[in-house]
Amino acid sequence: MLCLHRLKKSAAALGLSALLATANGLADDTSIQLSKGSLHLALDPAYGGRITELRFGDQDLLALPQPGGNNFGSTFWLSPQSLWNWPPVPEHDSAPYAVSAKSADSATLRSRFGAGARVSKTITLNSGHSATVHYRIDTDTDFPEVAAWEVTRVPNRGLAFAPVTTDSVKTVRGQVAYTLENDTLWLPMEADAALVEGKVIANGSEGWLAYAQDGLLYLKVYPKVAAKNMATGEGDIELYLSGEKPYLELEVQSAAHNLKRGEGLDWAVEWLVAPIPASLKVHSGSPALLEFTRQQISQMASSP
């Protein structure tokens, strides 16, 4: 659930350990390992609180064949990009986060303030197939427009797809060899294809973005955003292909909001990983793949 409310500064709410960590600007430099059943996530508090592994069984969906520089794992930015241009705000993207809570299947991390905002992340494994990644933006300046933005890098092979309003689809950088079929954006990728930079944005019609790779389906499910509420120049679904390294960015965004100093924005993305039946052929335009994906979302929604 997305909500706006005043920031409450109390020791009871934050906890003594979180207050001490924040006051001293400390971060846990030890990788955090979260596991439940077949699902395993790794977080790096020392590097932007990033999710660096998304493993189902022995397969890591975030592992890149040629990792390079800052472009790995799952990170968080403020939207629209015009708030900071480039590079991303270090405090949100790559600087250390303080760890305020940690257990076998959940962790909460918090950044320092940067560009007028502080980011908190709580990652919770719900089952051996799903996790909730909850984000909060706290402000110390006014934002006439700001949205939450999750950026997850995966290998540029397999198939990315999402239901969209077709007239919202735009290639905003380079070229992207996507297709539109069954009111869905499809991006098939070959592992040995030449690297071509490109970015496509769209307004999702159902509030999910999927990626199929090596027999696994990885789903990001987020609160649906009306086209009129998207951040300026952005989409709530964005796909970016690097022209230098073999990775794809799976990006989802919240609706944009006007925040006054001291207000906060809460937003969550549900991650789901499921094996794809061997009998189901993965290809662009597949009604069977769309049906299977929607079944996974329905089952997740009905789980306690």
Side-chain angles (χ1 to χ4, degrees), residues 1 32-33 48 59 61 90 95 111 117 121 135 151 159 175-176 203 247 276 283 287 289 304:
M1 180 179 293
I32 297 174
Q33 309 291 322
Q59 184 174 336
L61 285 156
S111 77
K121 308 177 183 181
Y135 300 98
V151 179
L159 177 67
Q175 50 187 306
V176 182
N203 176 221
Y247 69 84
I276 300 172
H283 61 84
L289 182 57

Side-chain angles (χ1 to χ4, degrees), residues 241-256:
L241 282 165
S242 171
E244 298 180 354
K245 295 289 183 179
Y247 69 84
L248 166 72
E249 289 182 351
L250 301 168
E251 308 177 15
V252 293
Q253 297 192 14
S254 75

Side-chain angles (χ1 to χ4, degrees), residues 156-284:
N156 67 338
R157 56 190 174 86
L159 177 67
F161 58 101
V164 296
T165 54
T166 55
D167 60 357
S168 71
V169 180
K170 298 178 184 177
T171 300
V172 294
R173 179 181 299 178
Q175 50 187 306
V176 182
Y178 68 84
T179 61
L180 290 171
E181 191 172 348
N182 295 327
D183 293 325
T184 301
L185 171 67
W186 305 87
L187 178 58
M189 296 163 289
E190 298 293 337
D192 56 354
L195 299 180
V196 178
E197 184 183 30
K199 184 168 189 174
V200 61
I201 66 175
N203 176 221
S205 59
E206 297 182 20
W208 58 264
L209 170 60
Y211 170 69
Q213 172 199 318
D214 297 338
L216 289 180
L217 177 71
Y218 167 37
L219 265 164
K220 292 166 166 266
V221 184
Y222 63 97
K224 186 177 173 181
V225 180
K228 65 180 181 179
N229 294 330
M230 292 192 302
T232 302
E234 305 285 349
D236 58 313
I237 287 176
E238 304 191 352
L239 298 172
Y240 171 75
L241 282 165
S242 171
E244 298 180 354
K245 295 289 183 179
Y247 69 84
L248 166 72
E249 289 182 351
L250 301 168
E251 308 177 15
V252 293
Q253 297 192 14
S254 75
H257 290 269
N258 180 328
L259 293 184
K260 301 298 183 183
R261 179 179 182 180
E263 288 183 331
L265 169 62
D266 286 299
W267 180 65
V269 182
E270 304 293 335
W271 287 18
L272 175 68
V273 182
I276 300 172
S279 60
L280 199 164
K281 303 303 180 184
V282 175
H283 61 84
S284 296

